[in-house]
Amino acid sequence: MPADPSPRTAPTPSSPPSPQNRGSGTSAVEVRRSSRRRRTVSAYREGDRTIVLIPARMSEAEEQRWVGVMLDKLAAQESKRMLGDTELAARAEWLSEQYLGGRARPASVRWVTNQNTRWGSCTPAEGSIRLSHRLKGMPEYVVDYVLVHELAHLLVPGHGRRFWELLEAYPRTERARGYLEGVVAAGRLPHLPGAGSGTEPG
């Protein structure tokens, strides 16, 4: 398949490494255009690079949008494949160290199947964090946001100013919230009474 002889390479936005790859550096995205590719877009990992294959006629704006879409899809597949309860707990520990100074120390972190109207919940008295199984398969940064949200609740119970100041440390908070709001808008979760229902963890 013919490809652009000078494929475009750009660094991806930095994100916390998964527990299995804590020492890895920032990966790069290489966009390859093909005149034989009409509509389809695909992507795959090649070492520490992500290769995105797009039609040659695609505009710069479409390229940027599709690169984001494909990175999210790959991250979702990897998150679903890798994160069991043990990995989830290790992920929470790493996120606490990275964004909360290691102050949030949960006693347990696990997936549950009985949370259909919330993304996550936290019981500070027990130090337990539970994430809805509906997050499985979503991009890694979204799962990370919900984990940081619940970790912050171990330090601040409510959703007041101090709580949101803690969340500011996680750089993809707004992007993750927008993703979850989009999921609700698409009807993948039941809508609850009240503004913004179902779009925030507990």
Side-chain angles (χ1 to χ4, degrees), residues 105-162:
R105 299 184 178 278
S108 65
V109 184
R110 60 191 176 91
W111 297 104
V112 294
T113 58
N114 61 351
Q115 288 189 161
N116 294 323
T117 58
R118 295 196 279 183
W119 299 115
S121 63
C122 171
T123 306
E126 300 174 0
S128 62
I129 290 175
R130 296 166 297 280
L131 263 58
S132 171
H133 72 290
R134 291 176 179 266
L135 287 164
K136 287 188 174 183
M138 290 190 188
E140 189 176 76
Y141 72 89
V142 176
V143 178
D144 284 351
Y145 163 70
V146 178
L147 279 172
V148 174
H149 187 113
E150 301 307 336
L151 286 165
H153 276 313
L154 293 177
L155 306 175
V156 179
H159 289 97
R161 181 176 58 83
R162 286 185 58 235

Side-chain angles (χ1 to χ4, degrees), residues 100 145 148-149 152 162-171 173:
L100 301 172
Y145 163 70
V148 174
H149 187 113
R162 286 185 58 235
F163 174 82
W164 290 109
E165 286 175 351
L166 290 176
L167 264 290
E168 287 177 0
Y170 182 63
T173 289

Side-chain angles (χ1 to χ4, degrees), residues 44-56:
Y44 61 92
R45 305 290 193 198
E46 189 176 85
D48 62 351
R49 305 168 75 80
T50 301
I51 310 301
V52 181
L53 308 174
I54 65 173

Side-chain angles (χ1 to χ4, degrees), residues 72-91:
D72 278 354
K73 282 189 175 182
L74 286 175
Q77 292 168 4
E78 291 162 358
S79 175
K80 188 173 185 177
R81 204 165 47 234
M82 297 185 331
L83 293 181
D85 284 350
T86 301
E87 292 82 8
L88 197 65
R91 188 87 180 159

